[in-house]
Amino acid sequence: MNYPVWDVAFGAGLLIALVAILHVFVSHFAVGGGLFLVVTEHRARRKNDAALLGWLKKHTRFFVLVTVVFGAISGVGIWFTIALISPTATSNLIHAYVWGWAIEWVFFFLEITAALLYLYGWDKLEPRLHLWYGWIYFGAAYLSLVIINGIIAFMLTSGSWTKNHEFWKGFFNPTYFPSLAFRTAIALALAGIYALITASVEKDAGLKARIVRWCAWWIVPSLAVLPPLGWWYIRRIPADVWASARGPMPTATHYAGFAVVLLAVTFVLALLSLLKPGRMHLSFSLLVALVALGAMGSFEFVREAIRKPFVISNYLYANSLYSTQIPGDGGFSVDEVNAAGVLPSAKWASNRDLAGSNLAGVGHEIFRVECESCHTANAYRGLKHYIALRQWDESKIQAMAGGLEFMHNGVMPPFAGTDAERGVLAVYLNTIEPISAEAAVAATDGQTVFDQNCSMCHRVNASDPLFKNLTSDPAAAGEALKDLTALFPLMPDLKLTGPQRTALAEWINAQRSAKGFGNPAQGGK
Amino acid sequence: MMQSNPIPALDPNPLPAPYWVFKLLLIVTFVLHIVAMNFLLGGGVLALTAKWRAKNGGFGGRLFSDVAKKMPVLLPATITLGIAPLLFVQVLYGQFFYTSSIVMAWPWFLVLAMLTAAYYGFYYVSFRSGQHGGKAGGVMLVSVILVFLIGFLFSNNLTLSQTPARWATKYFADPGGWNLNLTEPALIPRFLHFFTAAVAVGGIFLVFVALANWKRDREYARQVLQFGGKAFMYATMAQFVVGLVFLVSLPRGLRMLFMGDSPLAATLLLVGITGGIAAIFVMSGALRNENIRAAALYAPGVLAVTIACMAVMRDLLRDAYLSPYFHAGQFAVATQWSVLPLFLALFVAGVILWLVMMRRYGLLGGKKEIERPQP
Ligand code: HEM
């Protein structure tokens, strides 16, 4: 709300994901592929393999067209995109880490120059000198990963930076090394995966077979070390952060599953390519690349998803509000906005009149400044869909919005603002998917009542407070559910009907016995 | 209804080095960026002109393919040299630059698509420059037009970033970001000023092409020298008109800075114009005597002074535009002594390695090490 919010109709989050995934898929190739070029050139020269050298020369051209052109532009693309969608985060990052980027830029400059000279040098340079450029390329490319990895990992696990704001404390943060190792392995695998593409169009079957086998040496071991590296990575992520990926929040869980499956498929396909290496078809190599892209994309989605609700962990929320008040935050921390109100705080709102006639319009402004960095009205992560799914009417939306930070294991920041503003937000959201008060309490089977009202915060397991503590006497439970805030002060004040409460209490008991949770602790409410 | 102050607040992090360090880096890297861009855009425009005029024979076809082969290097040079000022402009002027970018978000985002298309176009032409198909000229034209439009979008964004008073109306008219800054009276003159400079400096680029061919093929090199040198002279003469229009299009208070209100700005303008005139004279003498040394060394040397003056003036102008909202003293400074020396050391090492790389390849006056064609 300090900066205007770019209203991307199909979803700002989707746009960032698109640019970022394409970029990482190419930029990791730029790193691993550099090593592939020089090592392969050494090998071909040692074996005096003119055919392999001939192919490698063509592969270099492909490499440059993909990495120097698309890789470099999509890298600038990330800058453009994050600045458009998360200007506050970008501003923080640039002030804290500009020297990191300046260092990366030095490597980048060397990298681009070396890549071009390596490409143009194929016909002009004596072998040793040509290889010299290749090694410089790889060294510079790898060092730029060494730098940028620090900043990316910092956003996920800011370590002690939030306390001391020291450059190196944030840089060498808890996930720095696992992330670097993980990305290195990915880079090496991608080197082989991309090389399959240029190998597949090779006419000479013998040569093709040799290259495909050589590629397998890059792909198979690298993919094989990914699971242990991934495990290391995950272990360095604080439990509460990772919890959201394991919880009911769909994004991270789904994509973690995708990532694993797609990686396995890539692995199998790489092995399959060894069956008839001399006859590998272009379509097959593209399939491998596509699956790998899917795996990489899923990995990025997981990383982004578990980082939520933050853009910079324990510091800045995805919607550009600071998680705690700090000097110089301009009044844009959750607490300050709670006290002052969104509308008076937001620099970019055209309609602030809480007493006026266009309440939905005011609510829309609030939605834009607080929610649109991740949600849309009815496209990507569209609220229309969620509201329809849960059948929330205006009053329920208002109640639920008071506890956003508890939903789905805490992937969302809390709503910041006054109660009246939360009410207007509900008015707006009710216009995008109008649900009547009657429809909101229409469900009478326990499962549906649970899904619509409880499932965003409660899970069906023995340790969940609902299953652990709610009394198993249906009548008493139905009575207790009348006043949720009395049960637990942070619960929303939902008004379930009598039949709903009874159905819910019975359903909970049924779950307990079906799943063997045992009875609630003595004195349970 | 906007809040009275539309300028976004700074973030809590202090500047990690004194203000002037970033200012210096911004101006220096911007000059490098703009010169690379001029080679690209001006060189491209002149190559197309040469090819088009060559329909009835002449050196144009050859010059076209010579320049076309350089485009896939000039574009990444422009981009890479653009990233550095992109970093530093965000460090100092993020509050303004982010906001104006968001106000014109879609056109700004489309720069990326345009860059990609232009880039692959240049590669297409360069890989094909041997065979003389009809398509190369067309593809090159499209790529050059894209580069021209990208420059125009940059001018839109930078002028918009300097006029916060315009933001709100534009933003609320379309929060989706389909905006430009076409209502800014100084926009077109300013951009034409850049474009005319690009053609002039593109002429200098051709003089370098002539230099590279001076020993090998004197006849061709002479023609390129004359063509490039004249392009430089005419474009720079035109600049006196375009620059004047630009000056007149500025708000009065800002214009007066260059007319004496600010001694520094006025001096820079005077030196800049004098440098331009001097460069024209040097070039004209060089063309008359076919003196490649004067054309490729002295004229650009004099011109460099003008470019430096202009870059500083551009910066003074920005700070004048922003004076109601921005001043250097607004920043807290906490120099990151644990990183800055590392950057400086790596920067120096990088420059040295870069020079070695260029020279070992036989560029920048180096001798190519033992050539041996490979299989
Ligand atoms: C072919 C592509 C490009 C062209 C023709 C171009 C042209 C220009 C022009 C004409 C300006 C000055 C605008 C004005 O002041 O009115 C400019 C400024 C700038 N350009 Fe580029 N540009 C190109 C690509 C890039 C890229 C890819 C980047 C970043 C990676 C970049 C970074 C910058 C920056 C940061 C400035 C402003 C510096 C400052 O305000 O001090 N440019 N460019």
Side-chain angles (χ1 to χ4, degrees), chain A residues 149 152-153 156-157 174-180 182-183 227-238 299 303 306:
Chain A
N149 177 61
I152 297 172
L156 179 62
T157 48
T175 52
Y176 179 83
F177 287 106
S179 164
L180 183 64
F182 194 76
R183 288 173 185 278
L229 290 179
W231 190 70
W232 179 27
Y233 197 163
I234 289 168
R235 287 206 359 167
R236 299 300 294 270
I237 297 172
F299 163 69
R303 193 177 55 79
I306 60 178

PDB file of all heavy atoms in Angstrom, chain A residues 149 152-153 156-157 174-180 182-183 227-238 299 303 306:
ATOM      1  N   ASN A 149      22.582 -17.301  -5.160  1.00  0.00           N
ATOM      2  CA  ASN A 149      22.009 -18.293  -4.256  1.00  0.00           C
ATOM      3  C   ASN A 149      21.892 -17.740  -2.838  1.00  0.00           C
ATOM      4  O   ASN A 149      20.930 -18.023  -2.135  1.00  0.00           O
ATOM      5  CB  ASN A 149      22.888 -19.553  -4.283  1.00  0.00           C
ATOM      6  CG  ASN A 149      22.397 -20.600  -3.309  1.00  0.00           C
ATOM      7  OD1 ASN A 149      21.278 -21.084  -3.433  1.00  0.00           O
ATOM      8  ND2 ASN A 149      23.221 -20.939  -2.334  1.00  0.00           N
ATOM      9  N   ILE A 152      18.764 -15.502  -2.778  1.00  0.00           N
ATOM     10  CA  ILE A 152      17.504 -16.251  -2.885  1.00  0.00           C
ATOM     11  C   ILE A 152      17.242 -17.023  -1.597  1.00  0.00           C
ATOM     12  O   ILE A 152      16.121 -17.045  -1.079  1.00  0.00           O
ATOM     13  CB  ILE A 152      17.559 -17.230  -4.075  1.00  0.00           C
ATOM     14  CG1 ILE A 152      17.704 -16.450  -5.374  1.00  0.00           C
ATOM     15  CG2 ILE A 152      16.307 -18.077  -4.114  1.00  0.00           C
ATOM     16  CD1 ILE A 152      17.958 -17.333  -6.565  1.00  0.00           C
ATOM     17  N   ALA A 153      18.300 -17.668  -1.083  1.00  0.00           N
ATOM     18  CA  ALA A 153      18.128 -18.452   0.141  1.00  0.00           C
ATOM     19  C   ALA A 153      17.807 -17.533   1.312  1.00  0.00           C
ATOM     20  O   ALA A 153      17.023 -17.884   2.199  1.00  0.00           O
ATOM     21  CB  ALA A 153      19.388 -19.264   0.431  1.00  0.00           C
ATOM     22  N   LEU A 156      14.215 -17.015   1.822  1.00  0.00           N
ATOM     23  CA  LEU A 156      13.500 -18.155   2.418  1.00  0.00           C
ATOM     24  C   LEU A 156      13.811 -18.302   3.902  1.00  0.00           C
ATOM     25  O   LEU A 156      12.927 -18.551   4.713  1.00  0.00           O
ATOM     26  CB  LEU A 156      13.879 -19.436   1.662  1.00  0.00           C
ATOM     27  CG  LEU A 156      13.237 -20.722   2.164  1.00  0.00           C
ATOM     28  CD1 LEU A 156      11.725 -20.654   2.032  1.00  0.00           C
ATOM     29  CD2 LEU A 156      13.770 -21.911   1.373  1.00  0.00           C
ATOM     30  N   THR A 157      15.081 -18.174   4.239  1.00  0.00           N
ATOM     31  CA  THR A 157      15.482 -18.319   5.640  1.00  0.00           C
ATOM     32  C   THR A 157      16.439 -17.173   5.958  1.00  0.00           C
ATOM     33  O   THR A 157      17.627 -17.246   5.681  1.00  0.00           O
ATOM     34  CB  THR A 157      16.224 -19.663   5.867  1.00  0.00           C
ATOM     35  OG1 THR A 157      17.214 -19.810   4.849  1.00  0.00           O
ATOM     36  CG2 THR A 157      15.289 -20.831   5.800  1.00  0.00           C
ATOM     37  N   PRO A 174      20.774 -20.239   6.975  1.00  0.00           N
ATOM     38  CA  PRO A 174      20.686 -21.690   7.204  1.00  0.00           C
ATOM     39  C   PRO A 174      20.551 -22.542   5.935  1.00  0.00           C
ATOM     40  O   PRO A 174      21.019 -23.676   5.909  1.00  0.00           O
ATOM     41  CB  PRO A 174      19.441 -21.829   8.078  1.00  0.00           C
ATOM     42  CG  PRO A 174      19.341 -20.525   8.798  1.00  0.00           C
ATOM     43  CD  PRO A 174      19.877 -19.488   7.870  1.00  0.00           C
ATOM     44  N   THR A 175      19.896 -22.048   4.884  1.00  0.00           N
ATOM     45  CA  THR A 175      19.748 -22.917   3.712  1.00  0.00           C
ATOM     46  C   THR A 175      20.772 -22.616   2.627  1.00  0.00           C
ATOM     47  O   THR A 175      20.684 -23.159   1.522  1.00  0.00           O
ATOM     48  CB  THR A 175      18.330 -22.810   3.096  1.00  0.00           C
ATOM     49  OG1 THR A 175      18.022 -21.443   2.860  1.00  0.00           O
ATOM     50  CG2 THR A 175      17.298 -23.439   4.004  1.00  0.00           C
ATOM     51  N   TYR A 176      21.753 -21.752   2.919  1.00  0.00           N
ATOM     52  CA  TYR A 176      22.690 -21.384   1.842  1.00  0.00           C
ATOM     53  C   TYR A 176      23.358 -22.611   1.216  1.00  0.00           C
ATOM     54  O   TYR A 176      23.281 -22.828   0.010  1.00  0.00           O
ATOM     55  CB  TYR A 176      23.767 -20.410   2.355  1.00  0.00           C
ATOM     56  CG  TYR A 176      24.743 -20.061   1.258  1.00  0.00           C
ATOM     57  CD1 TYR A 176      24.445 -19.059   0.350  1.00  0.00           C
ATOM     58  CD2 TYR A 176      25.927 -20.777   1.084  1.00  0.00           C
ATOM     59  CE1 TYR A 176      25.295 -18.765  -0.692  1.00  0.00           C
ATOM     60  CE2 TYR A 176      26.783 -20.495   0.044  1.00  0.00           C
ATOM     61  CZ  TYR A 176      26.468 -19.491  -0.840  1.00  0.00           C
ATOM     62  OH  TYR A 176      27.305 -19.220  -1.884  1.00  0.00           O
ATOM     63  N   PHE A 177      24.012 -23.430   2.028  1.00  0.00           N
ATOM     64  CA  PHE A 177      24.806 -24.531   1.460  1.00  0.00           C
ATOM     65  C   PHE A 177      23.953 -25.649   0.864  1.00  0.00           C
ATOM     66  O   PHE A 177      24.236 -26.082  -0.252  1.00  0.00           O
ATOM     67  CB  PHE A 177      25.814 -25.042   2.488  1.00  0.00           C
ATOM     68  CG  PHE A 177      26.940 -24.066   2.681  1.00  0.00           C
ATOM     69  CD1 PHE A 177      27.034 -23.288   3.813  1.00  0.00           C
ATOM     70  CD2 PHE A 177      27.895 -23.893   1.667  1.00  0.00           C
ATOM     71  CE1 PHE A 177      28.060 -22.355   3.954  1.00  0.00           C
ATOM     72  CE2 PHE A 177      28.926 -22.965   1.808  1.00  0.00           C
ATOM     73  CZ  PHE A 177      29.002 -22.195   2.953  1.00  0.00           C
ATOM     74  N   PRO A 178      22.906 -26.084   1.567  1.00  0.00           N
ATOM     75  CA  PRO A 178      22.080 -27.102   0.897  1.00  0.00           C
ATOM     76  C   PRO A 178      21.497 -26.583  -0.413  1.00  0.00           C
ATOM     77  O   PRO A 178      21.441 -27.318  -1.410  1.00  0.00           O
ATOM     78  CB  PRO A 178      20.988 -27.415   1.915  1.00  0.00           C
ATOM     79  CG  PRO A 178      21.136 -26.478   3.036  1.00  0.00           C
ATOM     80  CD  PRO A 178      22.480 -25.853   2.951  1.00  0.00           C
ATOM     81  N   SER A 179      21.096 -25.328  -0.420  1.00  0.00           N
ATOM     82  CA  SER A 179      20.511 -24.794  -1.646  1.00  0.00           C
ATOM     83  C   SER A 179      21.559 -24.745  -2.757  1.00  0.00           C
ATOM     84  O   SER A 179      21.279 -25.077  -3.916  1.00  0.00           O
ATOM     85  CB  SER A 179      19.939 -23.404  -1.365  1.00  0.00           C
ATOM     86  OG  SER A 179      19.696 -22.713  -2.558  1.00  0.00           O
ATOM     87  N   LEU A 180      22.781 -24.377  -2.386  1.00  0.00           N
ATOM     88  CA  LEU A 180      23.829 -24.315  -3.410  1.00  0.00           C
ATOM     89  C   LEU A 180      24.111 -25.717  -3.968  1.00  0.00           C
ATOM     90  O   LEU A 180      24.224 -25.910  -5.188  1.00  0.00           O
ATOM     91  CB  LEU A 180      25.104 -23.715  -2.812  1.00  0.00           C
ATOM     92  CG  LEU A 180      26.254 -23.525  -3.802  1.00  0.00           C
ATOM     93  CD1 LEU A 180      25.873 -22.513  -4.876  1.00  0.00           C
ATOM     94  CD2 LEU A 180      27.519 -23.046  -3.081  1.00  0.00           C
ATOM     95  N   PHE A 182      22.121 -28.305  -3.962  1.00  0.00           N
ATOM     96  CA  PHE A 182      20.946 -28.757  -4.695  1.00  0.00           C
ATOM     97  C   PHE A 182      20.937 -28.148  -6.098  1.00  0.00           C
ATOM     98  O   PHE A 182      20.744 -28.827  -7.097  1.00  0.00           O
ATOM     99  CB  PHE A 182      19.709 -28.314  -3.909  1.00  0.00           C
ATOM    100  CG  PHE A 182      18.432 -28.963  -4.328  1.00  0.00           C
ATOM    101  CD1 PHE A 182      18.154 -30.263  -3.970  1.00  0.00           C
ATOM    102  CD2 PHE A 182      17.490 -28.259  -5.062  1.00  0.00           C
ATOM    103  CE1 PHE A 182      16.957 -30.878  -4.340  1.00  0.00           C
ATOM    104  CE2 PHE A 182      16.291 -28.848  -5.444  1.00  0.00           C
ATOM    105  CZ  PHE A 182      16.028 -30.163  -5.077  1.00  0.00           C
ATOM    106  N   ARG A 183      21.181 -26.853  -6.153  1.00  0.00           N
ATOM    107  CA  ARG A 183      21.157 -26.175  -7.453  1.00  0.00           C
ATOM    108  C   ARG A 183      22.314 -26.623  -8.338  1.00  0.00           C
ATOM    109  O   ARG A 183      22.188 -26.688  -9.560  1.00  0.00           O
ATOM    110  CB  ARG A 183      21.193 -24.657  -7.255  1.00  0.00           C
ATOM    111  CG  ARG A 183      19.895 -24.127  -6.708  1.00  0.00           C
ATOM    112  CD  ARG A 183      19.964 -22.646  -6.346  1.00  0.00           C
ATOM    113  NE  ARG A 183      18.714 -22.238  -5.715  1.00  0.00           N
ATOM    114  CZ  ARG A 183      17.606 -21.916  -6.386  1.00  0.00           C
ATOM    115  NH1 ARG A 183      17.616 -21.927  -7.697  1.00  0.00           N
ATOM    116  NH2 ARG A 183      16.509 -21.579  -5.745  1.00  0.00           N
ATOM    117  N   PRO A 227      17.751 -36.436  -4.142  1.00  0.00           N
ATOM    118  CA  PRO A 227      16.959 -36.732  -2.930  1.00  0.00           C
ATOM    119  C   PRO A 227      17.712 -36.488  -1.624  1.00  0.00           C
ATOM    120  O   PRO A 227      17.182 -35.772  -0.751  1.00  0.00           O
ATOM    121  CB  PRO A 227      16.565 -38.196  -3.107  1.00  0.00           C
ATOM    122  CG  PRO A 227      16.606 -38.408  -4.581  1.00  0.00           C
ATOM    123  CD  PRO A 227      17.699 -37.536  -5.102  1.00  0.00           C
ATOM    124  N   PRO A 228      18.927 -37.016  -1.449  1.00  0.00           N
ATOM    125  CA  PRO A 228      19.602 -36.693  -0.185  1.00  0.00           C
ATOM    126  C   PRO A 228      19.861 -35.196  -0.020  1.00  0.00           C
ATOM    127  O   PRO A 228      19.719 -34.654   1.085  1.00  0.00           O
ATOM    128  CB  PRO A 228      20.917 -37.475  -0.253  1.00  0.00           C
ATOM    129  CG  PRO A 228      21.053 -37.964  -1.636  1.00  0.00           C
ATOM    130  CD  PRO A 228      19.687 -38.018  -2.227  1.00  0.00           C
ATOM    131  N   LEU A 229      20.202 -34.525  -1.122  1.00  0.00           N
ATOM    132  CA  LEU A 229      20.429 -33.080  -1.002  1.00  0.00           C
ATOM    133  C   LEU A 229      19.135 -32.367  -0.635  1.00  0.00           C
ATOM    134  O   LEU A 229      19.129 -31.439   0.176  1.00  0.00           O
ATOM    135  CB  LEU A 229      20.984 -32.517  -2.319  1.00  0.00           C
ATOM    136  CG  LEU A 229      22.410 -32.934  -2.676  1.00  0.00           C
ATOM    137  CD1 LEU A 229      22.818 -32.333  -4.015  1.00  0.00           C
ATOM    138  CD2 LEU A 229      23.374 -32.504  -1.580  1.00  0.00           C
ATOM    139  N   GLY A 230      18.054 -32.826  -1.230  1.00  0.00           N
ATOM    140  CA  GLY A 230      16.757 -32.232  -0.923  1.00  0.00           C
ATOM    141  C   GLY A 230      16.413 -32.428   0.551  1.00  0.00           C
ATOM    142  O   GLY A 230      15.898 -31.523   1.211  1.00  0.00           O
ATOM    143  N   TRP A 231      16.749 -33.611   1.047  1.00  0.00           N
ATOM    144  CA  TRP A 231      16.472 -33.900   2.455  1.00  0.00           C
ATOM    145  C   TRP A 231      17.261 -32.968   3.371  1.00  0.00           C
ATOM    146  O   TRP A 231      16.741 -32.403   4.325  1.00  0.00           O
ATOM    147  CB  TRP A 231      16.830 -35.366   2.725  1.00  0.00           C
ATOM    148  CG  TRP A 231      16.366 -35.835   4.062  1.00  0.00           C
ATOM    149  CD1 TRP A 231      15.073 -36.059   4.453  1.00  0.00           C
ATOM    150  CD2 TRP A 231      17.191 -36.143   5.183  1.00  0.00           C
ATOM    151  NE1 TRP A 231      15.040 -36.488   5.757  1.00  0.00           N
ATOM    152  CE2 TRP A 231      16.319 -36.551   6.233  1.00  0.00           C
ATOM    153  CE3 TRP A 231      18.563 -36.118   5.414  1.00  0.00           C
ATOM    154  CZ2 TRP A 231      16.795 -36.924   7.487  1.00  0.00           C
ATOM    155  CZ3 TRP A 231      19.026 -36.499   6.660  1.00  0.00           C
ATOM    156  CH2 TRP A 231      18.152 -36.896   7.689  1.00  0.00           C
ATOM    157  N   TRP A 232      18.521 -32.803   3.035  1.00  0.00           N
ATOM    158  CA  TRP A 232      19.385 -31.868   3.771  1.00  0.00           C
ATOM    159  C   TRP A 232      18.759 -30.468   3.758  1.00  0.00           C
ATOM    160  O   TRP A 232      18.617 -29.800   4.778  1.00  0.00           O
ATOM    161  CB  TRP A 232      20.772 -31.872   3.119  1.00  0.00           C
ATOM    162  CG  TRP A 232      21.774 -30.933   3.751  1.00  0.00           C
ATOM    163  CD1 TRP A 232      21.795 -30.489   5.044  1.00  0.00           C
ATOM    164  CD2 TRP A 232      22.909 -30.348   3.106  1.00  0.00           C
ATOM    165  NE1 TRP A 232      22.878 -29.669   5.245  1.00  0.00           N
ATOM    166  CE2 TRP A 232      23.588 -29.558   4.060  1.00  0.00           C
ATOM    167  CE3 TRP A 232      23.435 -30.423   1.809  1.00  0.00           C
ATOM    168  CZ2 TRP A 232      24.736 -28.837   3.765  1.00  0.00           C
ATOM    169  CZ3 TRP A 232      24.586 -29.718   1.519  1.00  0.00           C
ATOM    170  CH2 TRP A 232      25.242 -28.930   2.480  1.00  0.00           C
ATOM    171  N   TYR A 233      18.367 -30.032   2.565  1.00  0.00           N
ATOM    172  CA  TYR A 233      17.750 -28.724   2.355  1.00  0.00           C
ATOM    173  C   TYR A 233      16.542 -28.574   3.284  1.00  0.00           C
ATOM    174  O   TYR A 233      16.427 -27.610   4.062  1.00  0.00           O
ATOM    175  CB  TYR A 233      17.324 -28.665   0.889  1.00  0.00           C
ATOM    176  CG  TYR A 233      17.020 -27.309   0.298  1.00  0.00           C
ATOM    177  CD1 TYR A 233      16.988 -27.150  -1.091  1.00  0.00           C
ATOM    178  CD2 TYR A 233      16.751 -26.196   1.088  1.00  0.00           C
ATOM    179  CE1 TYR A 233      16.703 -25.937  -1.667  1.00  0.00           C
ATOM    180  CE2 TYR A 233      16.465 -24.981   0.506  1.00  0.00           C
ATOM    181  CZ  TYR A 233      16.431 -24.854  -0.869  1.00  0.00           C
ATOM    182  OH  TYR A 233      16.143 -23.661  -1.443  1.00  0.00           O
ATOM    183  N   ILE A 234      15.671 -29.570   3.226  1.00  0.00           N
ATOM    184  CA  ILE A 234      14.435 -29.488   4.004  1.00  0.00           C
ATOM    185  C   ILE A 234      14.739 -29.428   5.493  1.00  0.00           C
ATOM    186  O   ILE A 234      14.107 -28.692   6.246  1.00  0.00           O
ATOM    187  CB  ILE A 234      13.545 -30.703   3.693  1.00  0.00           C
ATOM    188  CG1 ILE A 234      12.987 -30.572   2.276  1.00  0.00           C
ATOM    189  CG2 ILE A 234      12.396 -30.811   4.690  1.00  0.00           C
ATOM    190  CD1 ILE A 234      12.333 -31.825   1.772  1.00  0.00           C
ATOM    191  N   ARG A 235      15.748 -30.195   5.903  1.00  0.00           N
ATOM    192  CA  ARG A 235      16.058 -30.207   7.332  1.00  0.00           C
ATOM    193  C   ARG A 235      16.564 -28.860   7.825  1.00  0.00           C
ATOM    194  O   ARG A 235      16.492 -28.555   9.010  1.00  0.00           O
ATOM    195  CB  ARG A 235      17.096 -31.277   7.634  1.00  0.00           C
ATOM    196  CG  ARG A 235      16.487 -32.660   7.554  1.00  0.00           C
ATOM    197  CD  ARG A 235      17.219 -33.635   8.393  1.00  0.00           C
ATOM    198  NE  ARG A 235      18.355 -33.009   9.076  1.00  0.00           N
ATOM    199  CZ  ARG A 235      19.004 -33.571  10.059  1.00  0.00           C
ATOM    200  NH1 ARG A 235      18.640 -34.740  10.490  1.00  0.00           N
ATOM    201  NH2 ARG A 235      20.043 -32.965  10.607  1.00  0.00           N
ATOM    202  N   ARG A 236      17.123 -28.075   6.922  1.00  0.00           N
ATOM    203  CA  ARG A 236      17.624 -26.770   7.334  1.00  0.00           C
ATOM    204  C   ARG A 236      16.541 -25.703   7.320  1.00  0.00           C
ATOM    205  O   ARG A 236      16.779 -24.574   7.716  1.00  0.00           O
ATOM    206  CB  ARG A 236      18.791 -26.334   6.437  1.00  0.00           C
ATOM    207  CG  ARG A 236      19.963 -27.278   6.485  1.00  0.00           C
ATOM    208  CD  ARG A 236      20.514 -27.401   7.904  1.00  0.00           C
ATOM    209  NE  ARG A 236      21.097 -26.163   8.382  1.00  0.00           N
ATOM    210  CZ  ARG A 236      22.361 -25.821   8.220  1.00  0.00           C
ATOM    211  NH1 ARG A 236      23.200 -26.637   7.622  1.00  0.00           N
ATOM    212  NH2 ARG A 236      22.818 -24.678   8.662  1.00  0.00           N
ATOM    213  N   ILE A 237      15.391 -26.066   6.800  1.00  0.00           N
ATOM    214  CA  ILE A 237      14.288 -25.107   6.814  1.00  0.00           C
ATOM    215  C   ILE A 237      13.555 -25.248   8.139  1.00  0.00           C
ATOM    216  O   ILE A 237      13.204 -26.354   8.519  1.00  0.00           O
ATOM    217  CB  ILE A 237      13.320 -25.401   5.645  1.00  0.00           C
ATOM    218  CG1 ILE A 237      14.054 -25.203   4.319  1.00  0.00           C
ATOM    219  CG2 ILE A 237      12.110 -24.502   5.715  1.00  0.00           C
ATOM    220  CD1 ILE A 237      13.260 -25.655   3.127  1.00  0.00           C
ATOM    221  N   PRO A 238      13.359 -24.144   8.858  1.00  0.00           N
ATOM    222  CA  PRO A 238      12.711 -24.238  10.168  1.00  0.00           C
ATOM    223  C   PRO A 238      11.384 -24.983  10.070  1.00  0.00           C
ATOM    224  O   PRO A 238      10.648 -24.841   9.086  1.00  0.00           O
ATOM    225  CB  PRO A 238      12.480 -22.779  10.547  1.00  0.00           C
ATOM    226  CG  PRO A 238      13.466 -22.002   9.757  1.00  0.00           C
ATOM    227  CD  PRO A 238      13.725 -22.772   8.512  1.00  0.00           C
ATOM    228  N   PHE A 299       9.487 -27.480  -8.081  1.00  0.00           N
ATOM    229  CA  PHE A 299      10.412 -27.150  -7.006  1.00  0.00           C
ATOM    230  C   PHE A 299      10.327 -25.657  -6.663  1.00  0.00           C
ATOM    231  O   PHE A 299      10.271 -25.266  -5.499  1.00  0.00           O
ATOM    232  CB  PHE A 299      11.831 -27.549  -7.415  1.00  0.00           C
ATOM    233  CG  PHE A 299      12.909 -26.923  -6.588  1.00  0.00           C
ATOM    234  CD1 PHE A 299      13.086 -27.287  -5.269  1.00  0.00           C
ATOM    235  CD2 PHE A 299      13.754 -25.966  -7.134  1.00  0.00           C
ATOM    236  CE1 PHE A 299      14.068 -26.695  -4.496  1.00  0.00           C
ATOM    237  CE2 PHE A 299      14.739 -25.373  -6.378  1.00  0.00           C
ATOM    238  CZ  PHE A 299      14.897 -25.739  -5.050  1.00  0.00           C
ATOM    239  N   ARG A 303       9.198 -23.854  -3.152  1.00  0.00           N
ATOM    240  CA  ARG A 303      10.015 -22.863  -2.454  1.00  0.00           C
ATOM    241  C   ARG A 303       9.216 -21.586  -2.203  1.00  0.00           C
ATOM    242  O   ARG A 303       9.200 -21.033  -1.105  1.00  0.00           O
ATOM    243  CB  ARG A 303      11.265 -22.558  -3.274  1.00  0.00           C
ATOM    244  CG  ARG A 303      12.332 -21.797  -2.517  1.00  0.00           C
ATOM    245  CD  ARG A 303      13.571 -21.584  -3.368  1.00  0.00           C
ATOM    246  NE  ARG A 303      13.280 -20.920  -4.630  1.00  0.00           N
ATOM    247  CZ  ARG A 303      13.077 -19.615  -4.760  1.00  0.00           C
ATOM    248  NH1 ARG A 303      13.155 -18.831  -3.720  1.00  0.00           N
ATOM    249  NH2 ARG A 303      12.794 -19.087  -5.936  1.00  0.00           N
ATOM    250  N   ILE A 306       6.349 -22.397   0.433  1.00  0.00           N
ATOM    251  CA  ILE A 306       6.688 -22.515   1.848  1.00  0.00           C
ATOM    252  C   ILE A 306       7.219 -21.195   2.397  1.00  0.00           C
ATOM    253  O   ILE A 306       7.222 -20.969   3.590  1.00  0.00           O
ATOM    254  CB  ILE A 306       7.695 -23.652   2.147  1.00  0.00           C
ATOM    255  CG1 ILE A 306       8.996 -23.426   1.418  1.00  0.00           C
ATOM    256  CG2 ILE A 306       7.117 -25.006   1.816  1.00  0.00           C
ATOM    257  CD1 ILE A 306      10.022 -24.490   1.718  1.00  0.00           C
TER     258      ILE A 306
END
